[in-house]
Amino acid sequence: MSATPWQIGDIPGPKQAHILRPEVFPKIVKTLKRPLIVVGSRKEVSEDKDIANNVVIMAKSMNSPLVVSPSIFKNFMKFKDVKVVCMGIEDLVNHLKEKEWKGFDDRGNYDSILFVGGVYYFQSQMLSTLKHFAPHLKTFSMDRFYHPNAEFSFENMSEVRWVQEFKGMVEMIKSSSVS
Amino acid sequence: MTTKLSIKELESSFAKIKGLELLIGKIVEEEWDEIVGPTPYPSITDLRAWDHRLLQRYEPFYSPFCDMCCLCTFGKCDLTKGKKGSCGIDIRSQQGKIVLIACLMGAACHATHARHIVNYLIEKRGRDYPIHLGEEIELEAPLIRLVAGIKPKKLGDLEEVLDYIERQITHLLSATATGQEESYIDFESKALHAGMVDNVAMEVADIAQISALRFPKGDPDAPLVDLGMGVIDKTKPVILCVGHNVAPGSEIINYLEQSGIYGSVEVAGICCTAHDLTRYSTGAKIVGPLSRQLIFVRSGVADVMILDQECIRTDIIDEAKKVETRVITTIDQVCAGLPDMTKSPIESIVKELVSGSVPAVLIHDPAKAGEVAVKVALEIAPSRRAKIISDEQEVLDAVLRCRACGRCRRNCPIDLSIDEAVYASHEKNFDLLAQIYDQCLLCGRCESECPEHIPIVSAIRVAAVEKIRDEKYKVRSGRGPIKDTEIRKVGRPIVMGEIPGVIAFVGCANYPNGNKELVEMADEFAKRRYIIVASGCAAMDIACYKDENGQTLYEKYAGDFDAGCILNTGSCVSNAHIIGAAVKIANIFANRKLRGNFEEIADYVLNRIGAVAIAWGAQHQKAASIATGANRLGIPVILGPQGVKYRRAYLGRADKKENWTVYNARTGKEVYVGPAPEHLLYVTESKEEAIVTAARLVMRPNDTNKGRMIKLSHYIDLHQKLYGILPEDLHLFVRTEADLPLTMKDQLLKMLKKRGWEPMELPDPTLLERQIVRRE
């Protein structure tokens, strides 16, 4: 399958993201040993309480910490039963690209990084850094934009469809984690 | 450049010579008794050790834009998954190479700008015209003194400095060719070198024009001048200058004054040439930053447009032709395929332009270009105005073609919801388009992608016509350098940390959410009594909002280099005074020698001067070279999210304790001082992150307890206000209990103890072994 990058000119080269279907992701989740979810500062995601709740449910279900871009941290600090870290995304990526980094729990680096809610062009470049300099990581873009620099990315979709599919996916992840 | 021939003793059949020194090329009148430091006119490798020391702590962080290398006929080479190109290069070195090329583009722009303006001024005033920046400025050229090791006294002295800069740029550019430099770290060292010579070039250009064109000389009360698209009087003939080189614009004003008609013609500018026009004459007006180019030219207000150099849209002549604005290009960097009429008689050029048989010409002579511009504007304005009809209906008809395909948004550099705004216009709702105007970069990428060829930028202009009409602001004209007397006053509190920091707002207008965020940031820090300095497009945009009293920040705050003030140094090249202020502090306050002594001064700045630049809308390669030069001197720079497209940051790792040691110059002992400053070049995703990061990056190892307490108070307060929590990394910045803000001491101490915090030593910090006074 192929897709066009959300920003039409954002064509990096021969290595572009595999398309990830939201309904398939819950099966992949089971293969991830140390996931980390990264929430960027795009307001459409962080200011939508429903979406923010779903991101937190996903983190809990996957036993993943949440790294939240500083400007939106206030929207996530109320969630107590998930580890929420306030950190600049470039700083975070600089840590992630070091294979031996100890992580937020001193148990080592993560194996898979899930991005959601990032400013498109900024997130694209962060994914590029990880693509080139962090071969030890798998990267997933869960936004409604196709991000070619991720290893796996949702394809471009409308806001309405994305909300629906994202919630459905979180529900599936939650259910499978309970079972 | 001079060649020195020394003969200690020579005895021959025809002469007996003793102690002869012959300088070929230039008579040197040496009046500067400061000892020459280790690196006058440093070569590419002279400061390499310093660069490597910096880069060891602040490692290059790359975000490639492209997976491939396309720079030679071996390519395209795929550099993903650790693969190398045909020449052997890997992605890291290829990124280093691209960064170096970008910095060289920037440095070359400033170097040619400086060369053009110095040549022009020498021709006008002579080589012996004095460099003089006012009575309270004896240290006239801190960067030239520091790097070149000379004290320029006349315009002619600057030629030698430019020779050096041009030579360095050539050598550095050569290193980017296939088969030359291979190490990413050395590409970065070369980029730092390019940045340094860029900064010197800026200083050359600005001190030349301040001296010879009588710009304000460090005046905190430099006049307030008009800014905004709404300040242009359309009833008069309008001449618009776009670019950075003030020579042709100043000649327009000269000709108008000589003709006794200055005031009856509007002289306005876009981008840095606008700043410099108002420094030359307060009657000139600033339309706005470079982002206003397309929208203003399309308005058809300008009768004549003069282009000089840098930041000029490559399609602007075509746009001007559509509204019958006549164009004169004036500098060899922008020939634009136009006929060169430099040697034609003035009257024949005017005739051709007025008739429209030649709508755009190249005139290399600034005075001639100025005279032609005025004559053409006076002649065509009345008839042209009658012809330029409102295009509102045409634009409104065009938006009806929108099918909401969304391609405009997908080609927008900042992902604005243009599609929704244009489509809403079907129902005669132009509010969304008018809102887009507040954030839009006005670059026009949306309309070049539109399958229906809707002139979206024009539609935005029509929708926002009332806002544009109300764009009437005051900006303080660029004051140029910081006075020695001001440095004497604030040097100590800055170095001790008692003034919490110097925050510079610099760079272009490539903002993620419009210019309002920039104003909010500047206001936040000014209220907290940081020293705020600004330059270039950022200095214009800081003026673009009024408070409840109808005042812009320049009217609200004084223009001194002092706590709680906001000053505008001027155009891009005036950035030299911001960087130079740090050098001046080292020299005037701390008595550090400048002459060819880069490393020691950079070490001083890095460890002691809490200065940080925020380039919120950095776009041009010049911004890359300016920032990289500042970085070599130890000044951290924060970029807005678009800055990620420069592809390289310099990031520290606060968790690697071994990276944050300095020597205590008093004992020779290596001491951990915490990550201060944590990064040299850092990209932030949001305004909030930029503010808090700036408050963190102003911390320096040399801060006194009182100074660190003040800095921490702001850092903690901003962190709580904008992020909602106390900083998690507080323990890294508290050296002793005396650093802690008094009102929170108990609470913070408890928190620190939980984290296993232990007091640290407060050293006399240096990274240079040779600065150790005594070893214990």
Side-chain angles (χ1 to χ4, degrees):
Chain A
M1 270 194 291
S2 68
T4 54
W6 171 251
Q7 279 208 341
I8 294 161
D10 189 25
I11 301 167
K15 191 170 183 245
Q16 299 199 25
H18 302 288
I19 291 177
L20 175 69
R21 293 209 307 275
E23 69 272 20
V24 173
F25 184 66
K27 291 172 196 154
I28 297 175
V29 164
K30 290 177 183 164
T31 68
L32 310 179
K33 293 192 178 88
R34 268 176 72 74
L36 179 74
I37 298 172
V38 181
V39 190
S41 68
R42 198 159 47 81
K43 288 177 180 164
E44 293 93 314
V45 170
S46 61
E47 288 182 359
D48 183 325
K49 284 181 186 166
D50 201 19
I51 296 294
N53 276 334
N54 272 276
V55 169
V56 172
I57 292 168
M58 181 164 77
K60 276 195 268 187
S61 307
M62 292 173 66
N63 198 22
S64 161
L66 272 179
V67 178
V68 175
S69 189
S71 65
I72 57 155
F73 183 76
K74 279 180 180 175
N75 300 351
F76 286 85
M77 57 194 285
K78 64 182 175 199
F79 299 107
K80 299 297 176 199
D81 43 356
V82 63
K83 183 172 178 64
V84 185
V85 179
C86 173
M87 188 173 189
I89 305 299
E90 190 172 64
D91 198 13
L92 168 73
V93 168
N94 192 37
H95 284 73
L96 288 171
K97 72 186 179 65
E98 185 192 84
K99 195 177 177 183
E100 293 75 27
W101 180 47
K102 298 285 181 206
F104 296 110
D105 54 6
D106 275 335
R107 291 173 53 204
N109 206 336
Y110 303 87
D111 68 342
S112 46
I113 316 300
L114 285 62
F115 286 87
V116 64
V119 172
Y120 180 85
Y121 52 90
F122 180 78
Q123 186 160 304
S124 178
Q125 292 303 99
M126 293 299 100
L127 286 163
S128 170
T129 299
L130 294 176
K131 173 165 92 173
H132 285 282
F133 304 110
H136 49 281
L137 299 176
K138 281 187 169 58
T139 57
F140 298 83
S141 170
M142 324 294 289
D143 281 315
R144 70 179 189 88
F145 314 118
Y146 177 65
H147 264 292
N149 282 318
E151 192 168 349
F152 300 93
S153 171
F154 288 1
E155 60 187 333
N156 296 322
M157 55 182 100
S158 69
E159 182 87 34
V160 175
R161 184 180 148 207
W162 178 77
V163 170
Q164 194 185 346
E165 299 222 14
F166 185 75
K167 284 187 189 171
M169 177 192 79
V170 172
E171 188 55 45
M172 285 165 74
I173 294 171
K174 188 180 163 192
S175 311
S176 62
S177 76
V178 172
S179 64
Chain B
M1 196 62 187
T2 54
T3 305
K4 190 174 176 182
L5 177 71
S6 298
I7 301 174
K8 277 189 182 164
E9 203 167 346
L10 173 77
E11 198 170 340
S12 72
S13 55
F14 66 91
K16 191 174 180 180
I17 300 168
K18 204 170 182 181
L20 175 75
E21 279 203 351
L22 194 62
L23 287 166
I24 301 162
K26 186 168 180 278
I27 297 166
V28 176
E29 293 170 49
E30 187 54 89
E31 288 178 22
W32 193 18
D33 57 8
E34 189 170 303
I35 296 163
V36 184
T39 55
Y41 286 123
S43 72
I44 290 177
T45 51
D46 282 350
L47 295 167
R48 185 169 173 257
W50 170 251
D51 297 337
H52 282 223
R53 180 72 188 82
L54 279 182
L55 296 168
Q56 189 186 4
R57 186 193 270 185
Y58 304 104
E59 270 205 55
F61 170 96
Y62 296 116
S63 304
F65 231 9
C66 179
D67 294 345
M68 294 176 294
C69 185
C70 318
L71 291 173
C72 82
T73 58
F74 273 146
K76 301 175 180 179
C77 294
D78 171 14
L79 302 181
T80 56
K81 298 180 184 169
K83 283 179 268 189
K84 288 181 178 178
S86 306
C87 70
I89 203 164
D90 64 9
I91 189 73
R92 209 182 300 267
S93 293
Q94 204 267 355
Q95 291 301 293
K97 182 185 279 201
I98 295 289
V99 166
L100 172 56
I101 291 170
C103 288
L104 284 168
M105 286 181 189
C109 280
H110 287 138
T112 51
H113 179 178
R115 180 63 85 179
H116 283 310
I117 201 82
V118 167
N119 284 352
Y120 164 73
L121 295 172
I122 284 176
E123 199 173 306
K124 221 172 157 59
R125 311 259 194 243
R127 276 199 169 75
D128 290 337
Y129 192 87
I131 304 286
H132 181 63
L133 300 188
E135 297 309 319
E136 292 174 54
I137 300 177
E138 279 182 26
L139 180 41
E140 73 303 289
L143 298 174
I144 293 171
R145 289 194 191 194
L146 178 69
V147 175
I150 69 158
K151 186 176 171 181
K153 299 185 83 63
K154 300 167 188 165
L155 285 178
D157 295 341
L158 300 174
E159 291 180 301
E160 176 185 325
V161 182
L162 286 170
D163 289 344
Y164 162 74
I165 290 167
E166 288 160 354
R167 211 166 39 247
Q168 296 310 299
I169 290 173
T170 308
H171 284 252
L172 290 165
L173 187 58
S174 138
T176 65
T178 306
Q180 298 271 58
E181 186 56 77
E182 63 177 41
S183 145
Y184 77 96
I185 285 291
D186 277 312
F187 273 123
E188 292 297 345
S189 167
K190 289 175 169 64
L192 291 164
H193 196 67
M196 181 193 72
V197 297
D198 166 281
N199 293 177
V200 178
M202 293 193 298
E203 187 173 87
V204 168
D206 216 33
I207 64 171
Q209 61 185 10
I210 291 169
S211 301
L213 295 177
R214 302 186 188 95
F215 287 1
K217 294 177 172 177
D219 180 7
D221 299 314
L224 290 162
V225 294
D226 290 323
L227 181 151
M229 292 208 281
V231 302
I232 309 301
D233 184 348
K234 297 177 198 167
T235 63
K236 296 177 184 173
V238 176
I239 303 175
L240 174 70
C241 301
V242 182
H244 287 71
N245 189 324
V246 76
S250 67
E251 292 290 1
I252 292 168
I253 293 168
N254 293 346
Y255 184 75
L256 287 168
E257 281 178 340
Q258 283 157 17
S259 309
I261 52 170
Y262 191 35
S264 60
V265 174
E266 286 282 75
V267 181
I270 286 180
C271 210
C272 285
T273 205
H275 268 308
D276 287 348
L277 280 173
T278 70
R279 295 164 88 190
Y280 187 65
S281 165
T282 51
K285 292 174 178 175
I286 299 174
V287 172
L290 67 98
S291 57
R292 292 293 187 266
Q293 222 171 127
L294 185 59
I295 199 166
F296 186 75
V297 168
R298 279 190 185 176
S299 73
V301 169
D303 295 296
V304 175
M305 180 166 67
I306 290 258
L307 304 178
D308 54 80
Q309 61 187 119
E310 301 155 33
C311 299
I312 298 164
R313 286 183 65 95
T314 51
D315 62 352
I316 208 66
I317 296 175
D318 289 339
E319 293 288 341
K321 284 179 184 168
K322 287 179 199 163
V323 290
E324 300 186 14
T325 297
R326 305 298 191 258
V327 181
I328 304 170
T329 65
T330 56
I331 305 276
D332 48 10
Q333 270 72 29
V334 187
C335 292
L338 300 176
D340 187 347
M341 299 190 79
T342 310
K343 291 188 177 150
S344 304
I346 286 180
E347 293 316 318
S348 79
I349 310 172
V350 171
K351 200 174 157 192
E352 300 263 29
L353 283 168
V354 169
S355 71
S357 58
V358 181
V361 297
L362 167 65
I363 304 175
H364 277 309
D365 175 340
K368 196 174 209 175
E371 186 176 338
V372 168
V374 173
K375 286 182 168 167
V376 171
L378 287 170
E379 210 163 320
I380 68 165
S383 57
R384 191 178 154 274
R385 287 298 153 79
K387 272 195 262 173
I388 301 293
I389 51 163
S390 165
D391 59 355
E392 279 182 34
Q393 195 53 51
E394 196 185 320
V395 167
L396 297 180
D397 289 345
V399 293
L400 294 176
R401 297 199 298 269
C402 177
R403 293 180 278 128
C405 69
R407 293 187 73 82
C408 48
R409 176 175 177 177
R410 292 180 58 192
N411 207 31
C412 171
I414 51 171
D415 203 27
L416 291 176
S417 302
I418 306 164
D419 48 346
E420 289 168 25
V422 175
Y423 198 70
S425 312
H426 282 219
E427 305 300 322
K428 307 278 180 211
N429 173 8
F430 300 106
D431 294 350
L432 290 179
L433 268 179
Q435 281 172 30
I436 288 273
Y437 175 73
D438 295 334
Q439 295 176 284
C440 183
L441 306 171
L442 302 168
C443 69
R445 242 168 68 174
C446 48
E447 57 184 48
S448 67
E449 184 65 30
C450 177
E452 295 295 333
H453 309 292
I454 299 169
I456 299 170
V457 174
S458 300
I460 293 170
R461 180 173 61 78
V462 170
V465 69
E466 282 174 23
K467 285 186 184 180
I468 292 170
R469 202 177 297 142
D470 292 341
E471 276 186 0
K472 294 176 182 174
Y473 306 108
K474 291 286 183 191
V475 58
R476 202 170 288 287
S477 181
R479 58 167 274 181
I482 312 305
K483 290 182 179 182
D484 298 2
T485 42
E486 290 175 301
I487 297 288
R488 273 186 203 106
K489 187 178 169 203
V490 299
R492 184 184 166 80
I494 290 174
V495 171
M496 299 304 164
E498 290 151 14
I499 287 179
V502 180
I503 311 282
F505 290 94
V506 296
C508 327
N510 190 15
Y511 308 117
N513 298 300
N515 54 11
K516 196 175 180 190
E517 290 185 332
L518 190 77
V519 181
E520 290 164 349
M521 285 193 268
D523 198 24
E524 178 74 61
F525 284 115
K527 275 190 286 196
R528 291 171 180 272
R529 298 188 57 75
Y530 288 71
I531 297 175
I532 310 301
V533 290
S535 65
C537 288
M540 294 179 190
D541 279 317
I542 280 179
C544 286
Y545 276 87
K546 293 177 184 171
D547 66 8
E548 60 281 8
N549 301 317
Q551 289 185 313
T552 68
L553 292 187
Y554 292 106
E555 295 165 287
K556 188 173 166 187
Y557 296 102
D560 304 75
F561 188 74
D562 204 347
C565 297
I566 296 185
L567 66 90
N568 169 20
T569 56
S571 57
C572 266
V573 291
S574 309
N575 274 304
H577 309 303
I578 298 176
I579 298 163
V583 176
K584 278 188 161 200
I585 291 170
N587 178 257
I588 294 172
F589 164 68
N591 281 323
R592 298 290 180 119
K593 301 275 184 272
L594 294 190
R595 192 172 192 176
N597 197 20
F598 189 93
E599 215 176 42
E600 181 183 333
I601 298 300
D603 179 63
Y604 185 91
V605 173
L606 178 70
N607 284 304
R608 295 165 200 266
I609 299 180
V612 172
I614 299 178
W616 191 239
Q619 174 261 335
H620 200 273
Q621 294 87 4
K622 288 179 294 171
S625 57
I626 298 168
T628 307
N631 291 160
R632 193 184 221 188
L633 199 55
I635 301 171
V637 179
I638 295 166
L639 300 172
Q642 292 259 60
V644 77
K645 298 174 190 173
Y646 283 125
R647 311 158 210 204
R648 183 264 275 131
Y650 292 140
L651 303 186
R653 280 285 298 269
D655 56 333
K656 292 186 182 281
K657 212 173 168 184
E658 65 277 14
N659 287 351
W660 303 103
T661 58
V662 298
Y663 294 111
N664 185 344
R666 290 187 296 264
T667 62
K669 197 175 133 195
E670 272 198 76
V671 181
Y672 172 72
V673 287
E678 186 178 352
H679 307 296
L680 265 190
L681 188 66
Y682 181 72
V683 182
T684 52
E685 200 186 2
S686 62
K687 173 193 76 176
E688 292 80 5
E689 190 184 356
I691 291 174
V692 174
T693 303
R696 188 167 72 244
L697 293 188
V698 292
M699 285 186 254
R700 294 292 181 277
N702 189 64
D703 296 338
T704 58
N705 290 122
K706 185 179 168 195
R708 182 59 67 92
M709 185 199 295
I710 292 167
K711 291 182 181 185
L712 280 174
S713 299
H714 291 292
Y715 176 50
I716 293 167
D717 187 52
L718 286 164
H719 205 286
Q720 283 188 304
K721 177 178 159 186
L722 299 172
Y723 297 178
I725 48 163
L726 283 167
E728 287 279 326
D729 57 1
L730 201 60
H731 60 290
L732 302 175
F733 300 108
V734 178
R735 288 98 33 102
T736 70
E737 286 187 30
D739 284 349
L740 289 166
L742 293 173
T743 50
M744 307 178 75
K745 194 168 182 174
D746 293 341
Q747 180 196 355
L748 295 177
L749 206 53
K750 210 180 281 178
M751 193 175 117
L752 291 175
K753 282 183 177 160
K754 261 191 198 168
R755 296 206 64 134
W757 170 81
E758 282 178 11
M760 308 173 207
E761 188 178 325
L762 271 66
D764 181 5
T766 178
L767 294 177
L768 303 174
E769 262 190 89
R770 67 184 165 88
Q771 290 300 112
I772 297 168
V773 182
R774 179 164 70 88
R775 284 187 188 276
E776 278 179 5

